[in-house]
Amino acid sequence: MYPTILRDPDAAKKLFETIIDSPNGRRSMSRLARTCRAMCEPALNVLWRELDSLLPIISLFPNTLMKRARRPGLGLAKAPNAEDWSRVLAYGERVRRIAYIESSPSVSPSIFAIIAENRPVQYILPHLQQLIWRVDTAAGLQRCTIFLNPELQSLVLEVSTRIPQLATFLAEVCSTTQLSSFSFTSPTSLPDTFTDILRSHNTLEKLVLVAPGALSSSVGQWAASLPMLRVLELDLTGRSVIAVEGFFDDIVASGASTPSDASSDSGVFSADEIDFTEIRKSSLRLTGDLRSGGVFTDLRQLSLTGEVANIAVFLKHLTSNLTHLELVIEDPPDMADWQDLSGLICERFSKSLLSLRINATGSSRFNELVRSTSRGGDPPSRHLPLQHFTSLPSLLRLEIDLPESVLFHNSDLQAVAQACPNIETLRLCPMARFPASSGPSLTLEGVAVLTQGCKRLQTLALVLDAHTESEETFNSLDVSSRSLLRLHVGHSVVNDPLQTTILLSHLAPYLETIKWFHEKNRPGYVEANASGWQKVSDWLPHMQGMRLMERARVVHLSTQKPETREQSIDATVTRITADKSLQAKPRLVQRHVQVSPKLVDRSTEAKPELVSMSIDATPSIMDTGVDATPAVLHQSVSVRPNMVSTEVDASVHTETKAISAIQALPFEESSSAKYADPVYAFPSVIPAVLAGLLTFACRILTSYPLTIPMHMLDKSLSILHAQPKEGDDSSSEKHELRPSPAHSVSSSTSELLDHDIPPVCL
C-alpha cells in the first residue's frame, strides 16, 4: 500500500523538491531513494534532474574501466563496451540540467574523446534541457557538441578568451537545436556574423548578452525582431550614452509610418499645400485606432548592468509593460541620476511592475571588500533616498542590496508604504554593518508605519535600532500586521530585549521566523546584540500567545448579545389618499457613437511535441564454427591383370634339300688336292630366321615394361576420382586391369602391395 502523498505525482514532486532544497538535501534525497521501492523512482528523478558536474555520470562506469576507482574524474583506462553503458544510459534519461567548467580539474578532458568514439547511441543525455558550458579553449568548446540534442531548450555559454571557431560552433548549435533561452558571456567581442547566424532562431524567449558589441544597432534590430522575446539582459558597463542610444538606431517601432504614407512630392511646389498627416493622426487618436510606436512591446523581464545614467537612457526607449526589473548599478550612484531613474520607473511601469531588484556591480563590491579589509577605518555609509518612488501600486517585491548605500530613514519606509501598498517582500540591505559610533537610523517605529500601510507584507529584512520612542504605537491596533511572518534583522542593535519582544508581539503577533547573524567569525559581529536577539527569539512565542489570547477575549466581549425587553407599541397607521395627475414627457437626446473594434495580434506557437526514440539497429551476428577439413579416405586397390597365355610356334619351317655339287675333276687335279681341307656350305634361309628372332626379342624387352605400368596408372587414377555410391563398401571394391587390346603379351602375373600408389612421372 503506497503512502497517500505518493498517489499524487505532483504532490510527491513538490515534497521532494522541498527536501532537496533544504540543507544537506541531496544526501537526504539519496537516503530516501534507498528507503522503499515506491519512493525510489520519483526520488531518483529529482536527485538526478540537476547536476553541477559530469562527475556523477562518469562514476556510473564499472570500476574495472577506471584509472583509479576512487577518483573517476581521472578518466577511463580502456574503452567501454556495450554492456558498460547500461547504467550510464539508464540514469542519463533523468538528467535535465548539467554544467561543465573547463578550468576545474575534477574531470579529465580525455573522457570526452572516449565518450564520443564509443557511445552506443547518439545522445547519452536524450532529455537534457539546460546546458551550462564555461570554457577557455577551442577544444573545450568543441566538447559541448556531444550534449547538443533536439530537446535542449537553454544554453548558457561563457567564453573567457577569443576563439576563432565560435561562429562555426554557433552555426552548429542553430542547426541542431531549437533554443528558447540563450546566454552568452565573454570579455571578447561578438563574431561579425553573430546576428546572421542566429537570425533563423526566432523561438528565443530569453536572451542574455554580456560582451562587447552587444549594443550594436544590428544586435538591437535582431533582438527587437524576435516575436517571442520575453526576457532580455544586457551589460551597459563602460558604455557612453551615445552607444546606448545606438542600440535603437535601426529598430523600427511598431505602428510607425510606412513608406506608403509619405508623400511622393519633392517639396519644391508643396509649400502652400495642406499637410493632412497630423489631421489623420488626430482622427485616429480620437477613434482609438492610432497605434502608438514602441520597441520591445512584448518584453516582460529586463536586467541591465551599468551606470544609472545609461540605464535611464535605455529605459526611456521602452514602451513595454515590464513586470520584473533587475538593475545592477555602480555604487554609490549619482543622486541626480538616481532621482531621474526612480521617477522614470514610476512613470513608465507603475501599473505593471511586480518586482524590482537593485544590486551592485562586481567592481563596487570589490572596492567595498578592499575598504573593509584594510586598516583605513570603518566603511562609509551613504543614504539612498526612496522618496522618489511615488507610485508603484502593483509592486510585490522590492529588494535593494548595495555595499555602500545602506543608510535608510523612517521616512523612506513611510514612502514605501505609500507608494507600494500591496508589497509582500521588502529587503533593504540586510547584510549591512555599521560602526559602533553610528548605528542604523531605522527603528521599530518606522516598521510600525510599514505594517500599518502594507497589509500584505510577509517578509521584511533590514537593519534597525530596536528601541521604543512613543506609547502611541501600543495604543493602536492598526499597526498590528496579520500577514508578517518572517523577519531578518541582520546586525541590528538591541538594548532592551524585553521591551523589543513586547513591541514585536504587538506589531507581528503571527510572526513565525526571526533571524539574525550569530556567527562569531562574521565581520561586524557584536556579542551583546547577538545575545539580545537570542532572548527576543526565546521570549517572543510566549508573548505572542498571551497577546492573541487577550485580543480574543476582547473580541468575545465585544460580540456579546445585548439585553432585550418586550414592549407593545401602537403601530396603527392612518392613511390619507389624494389623487394627483403627473405628465411625464421624456427628453430625447441624439448622439452618434462611432464604434471601431480593437484588434489584437496574437501569435500562437503550435510546437509539436517531439519524442526522441533510439532504436538499436545493430544486426545480430552469430559465430558458428564449421569443420571444413576434407575427409581423406585411404583405400588399398588390388590390381591383378588378367594374364592370357598363348603359345606361339616360333619355329621356322625349313626344308632340307641335298644338292650334289661335286665336279669331276681330271685325274691330274684330284691327285694334287687329295690332301686339302673340306669346305661346308650353309643354306641362304638361316640369316632371315635369325633376324626375325632378334626383332621379336627386342620388341618384348622394350615395349612390355612400359605398357604394363601405364595401364595400371590409368586404372588407379580413375578409381580414386570416382565417387562411391550410398551403401557401398569402398573397402570391398575390386578393379581389374584389363590388358590393352593393342597388345597381347604373355608374361607372368605379379601382385601389387596394399599401399598408396605414388604419382609416376614419365
Side-chain angles (χ1 to χ4, degrees):
M1 188 67 180
Y2 289 169
T4 306
I5 193 171
L6 296 179
R7 299 176 185 175
D8 188 356
D10 296 335
K13 183 179 179 181
K14 292 293 184 182
L15 174 63
F16 294 150
E17 289 177 352
T18 304
I19 294 175
I20 202 170
D21 292 336
S22 62
N24 297 326
R26 303 191 71 86
R27 180 179 299 178
S28 302
M29 187 60 61
S30 62
R31 293 174 178 174
L32 188 62
R34 294 190 293 266
T35 302
C36 67
R37 296 181 179 178
M39 292 185 293
C40 181
E41 286 298 322
L44 287 178
N45 291 336
V46 176
L47 186 63
W48 284 84
R49 183 180 57 186
E50 297 182 358
L51 300 180
D52 296 332
S53 174
L54 292 171
L55 197 60
I57 297 293
I58 301 174
S59 61
L60 295 175
F61 286 105
N63 293 335
T64 55
L65 302 179
M66 303 291 181
K67 292 182 178 180
R68 294 183 62 180
R70 295 182 178 271
R71 298 184 63 183
L74 296 179
L76 304 180
K78 58 181 179 178
N81 53 28
E83 297 178 355
D84 300 332
W85 285 91
S86 58
R87 295 183 61 194
V88 177
L89 299 179
Y91 283 87
E93 294 181 355
R94 309 176 191 269
V95 180
R96 299 295 183 272
R97 174 187 176 273
I98 198 167
Y100 171 70
I101 303 176
E102 186 180 9
S103 59
S104 176
S106 59
V107 178
S108 175
S110 61
I111 190 66
F112 294 95
I114 297 177
I115 293 176
E117 295 175 359
N118 300 277
R119 52 183 173 177
V121 295
Q122 186 176 2
Y123 308 115
I124 60 175
L125 303 179
H127 304 298
L128 186 65
Q129 297 178 356
Q130 184 178 5
L131 179 61
I132 302 174
W133 209 258
R134 298 182 175 93
V135 295
D136 304 326
T137 61
L141 183 64
Q142 187 62 27
R143 300 184 192 115
C144 181
T145 57
I146 303 177
F147 304 98
L148 297 179
N149 57 21
E151 294 189 15
L152 189 65
Q153 299 179 2
S154 175
L155 176 61
V156 180
L157 185 62
E158 296 185 11
V159 182
S160 60
T161 58
R162 182 176 180 83
I163 299 178
Q165 297 84 359
L166 181 59
T168 305
F169 172 78
L170 293 177
E172 184 175 358
V173 170
C174 294
S175 62
T176 307
T177 63
Q178 198 70 18
L179 299 177
S180 60
S181 175
F182 177 69
S183 174
F184 179 77
T185 304
S186 177
T188 61
S189 59
L190 294 174
D192 297 335
T193 58
F194 178 78
T195 55
D196 297 334
I197 295 174
L198 296 178
R199 193 169 299 277
S200 61
H201 232 60
N202 55 1
T203 59
L204 287 178
E205 299 179 4
K206 180 179 180 180
L207 178 62
V208 179
L209 295 178
V210 183
L215 295 181
S216 64
S217 58
S218 60
V219 175
Q221 182 185 13
W222 166 70
S225 64
L226 295 175
M228 304 178 63
L229 187 63
R230 299 293 182 271
V231 183
L232 178 63
E233 181 177 347
L234 295 174
D235 187 9
L236 312 180
T237 305
R239 306 296 191 273
S240 62
V241 176
I242 299 177
V244 177
E245 292 279 358
F247 182 78
F248 301 91
D249 287 347
D250 296 341
I251 299 178
V252 179
S254 60
S257 60
T258 60
S260 61
D261 297 334
S263 175
S264 60
D265 192 3
S266 61
V268 178
F269 301 100
S270 60
D272 299 334
E273 294 181 1
I274 301 175
D275 187 8
F276 292 95
T277 304
E278 295 298 331
I279 299 176
R280 182 166 49 205
K281 289 184 179 180
S282 300
S283 60
L284 292 176
R285 189 179 294 108
L286 290 175
T287 58
D289 294 335
L290 180 64
R291 297 178 59 188
S292 60
V295 294
F296 296 103
T297 55
D298 296 330
L299 195 64
R300 294 297 176 264
Q301 299 183 21
L302 178 63
S303 178
L304 299 176
T305 303
E307 294 79 4
V308 175
N310 291 342
I311 294 176
V313 171
F314 192 93
L315 292 179
K316 286 180 181 179
H317 292 81
L318 298 182
T319 57
S320 56
N321 297 325
L322 292 180
T323 58
H324 297 79
L325 180 60
E326 182 176 359
L327 306 178
V328 183
I329 64 175
E330 295 287 346
D331 187 40
D334 184 74
M335 287 297 104
D337 296 337
W338 171 255
Q339 182 177 355
D340 295 341
L341 179 62
S342 302
L344 184 63
I345 291 174
C346 296
E347 178 184 354
R348 295 292 180 90
F349 317 112
S350 61
K351 297 181 180 180
S352 61
L353 194 61
L354 301 178
S355 174
L356 176 60
R357 295 182 179 181
I358 301 175
N359 298 321
T361 59
S363 59
S364 300
R365 294 190 180 277
F366 178 75
N367 296 333
E368 192 273 337
L369 179 62
V370 172
R371 289 193 299 266
S372 62
T373 54
S374 63
R375 299 182 180 180
D378 296 329
S381 300
R382 300 178 183 271
H383 176 229
L384 186 68
L386 301 180
Q387 290 85 355
H388 305 300
F389 291 108
T390 56
S391 176
L392 293 172
S394 302
L395 192 66
L396 301 179
R397 178 185 292 268
L398 175 60
E399 297 183 4
I400 300 177
D401 187 9
L402 300 174
E404 189 171 343
S405 302
V406 296
L407 193 59
F408 300 96
H409 302 304
N410 290 338
S411 58
D412 297 323
L413 295 182
Q414 184 177 1
V416 171
Q418 295 176 357
C420 314
N422 296 319
I423 194 170
E424 297 179 357
T425 302
L426 178 61
R427 299 180 183 272
L428 300 178
C429 301
M431 312 292 290
R433 51 191 179 91
F434 297 88
S437 57
S438 60
S441 301
L442 294 177
T443 62
L444 289 176
E445 300 294 335
V447 175
V449 176
L450 194 63
T451 55
Q452 183 178 2
C454 304
K455 296 300 182 180
R456 297 182 179 181
L457 185 62
Q458 299 178 3
T459 303
L460 180 62
L462 41 74
V463 181
L464 50 82
D465 187 0
H467 68 276
T468 57
E469 296 179 355
S470 63
E471 297 292 335
E472 297 179 359
T473 305
F474 290 98
N475 298 329
S476 175
L477 291 178
D478 295 336
V479 299
S480 181
S481 175
R482 190 179 182 85
S483 61
L484 187 58
L485 302 176
R486 293 171 290 275
L487 178 63
H488 193 298
V489 294
H491 292 293
S492 297
V493 180
V494 55
N495 297 322
D496 191 350
L498 181 59
Q499 290 294 331
T500 302
T501 304
I502 295 174
L503 185 56
L504 279 180
S505 65
H506 177 64
L507 297 177
Y510 297 94
L511 189 66
E512 297 177 355
T513 304
I514 180 171
K515 293 182 179 181
W516 68 97
F517 294 132
H518 53 81
E519 298 88 354
K520 295 183 178 181
N521 57 350
R522 192 180 188 89
Y525 171 79
V526 179
E527 186 177 359
N529 295 334
S531 59
W533 285 112
Q534 182 63 47
K535 294 179 181 179
V536 172
S537 178
D538 295 338
W539 297 340
L540 185 60
H542 306 286
M543 296 298 296
Q544 287 176 331
M546 185 174 62
R547 182 79 64 182
L548 294 176
M549 183 179 62
E550 292 175 352
R551 293 181 180 180
R553 181 63 179 172
V554 171
V555 172
H556 177 70
L557 294 176
S558 62
T559 56
Q560 289 183 354
K561 295 182 179 181
E563 295 182 359
T564 59
R565 181 181 301 177
E566 295 181 358
Q567 186 176 357
S568 60
I569 300 174
D570 185 7
T572 304
V573 178
T574 303
R575 296 182 179 180
I576 300 175
T577 60
D579 295 334
K580 292 184 178 181
S581 60
L582 181 64
Q583 183 180 3
K585 185 178 180 180
R587 183 179 179 182
L588 304 178
V589 178
Q590 294 181 356
R591 291 184 180 181
H592 300 279
V593 180
Q594 181 179 359
V595 179
S596 59
K598 185 178 180 180
L599 304 179
V600 179
D601 295 336
R602 293 184 179 179
S603 60
T604 303
E605 181 184 5
K607 191 175 184 180
E609 183 178 359
L610 303 179
V611 178
S612 177
M613 299 179 64
S614 60
I615 300 175
D616 186 6
T618 304
S620 179
I621 300 175
M622 297 179 61
D623 296 336
T624 304
V626 179
D627 187 7
T629 305
V632 180
L633 183 63
H634 296 277
Q635 294 182 356
S636 63
V637 181
S638 177
V639 180
R640 294 181 180 181
N642 294 330
M643 308 301 295
V644 179
S645 300
T646 304
E647 296 180 358
V648 180
D649 187 6
S651 61
V652 182
H653 179 71
T654 60
E655 292 182 359
T656 304
K657 293 182 178 182
I659 301 173
S660 178
I662 300 173
Q663 184 179 2
L665 296 175
F667 178 77
E668 293 81 9
E669 293 179 4
S670 61
S671 58
S672 60
K674 180 178 181 179
Y675 299 102
D677 294 332
V679 178
Y680 300 94
F682 293 94
S684 60
V685 73
I686 294 176
V689 174
L690 293 177
L693 292 175
L694 291 175
T695 303
F696 180 76
C698 290
R699 289 182 179 178
I700 293 177
L701 293 177
T702 58
S703 301
Y704 183 75
L706 296 178
T707 304
I708 295 297
M710 288 297 294
H711 285 280
M712 294 175 62
L713 180 60
D714 294 339
K715 288 295 183 179
S716 300
L717 293 178
S718 62
I719 293 172
L720 292 178
H721 286 287
Q723 296 181 357
K725 298 181 180 180
E726 297 179 1
D728 296 340
D729 189 2
S730 60
S731 62
S732 61
E733 291 181 359
K734 294 182 180 180
H735 302 276
E736 294 182 355
L737 185 62
R738 295 181 180 179
S740 176
H743 304 278
S744 297
V745 182
S746 60
S747 63
S748 62
T749 62
S750 61
E751 295 181 357
L752 298 177
L753 298 176
D754 296 335
H755 57 80
D756 295 334
I757 300 175
V760 178
C761 297
L762 298 180

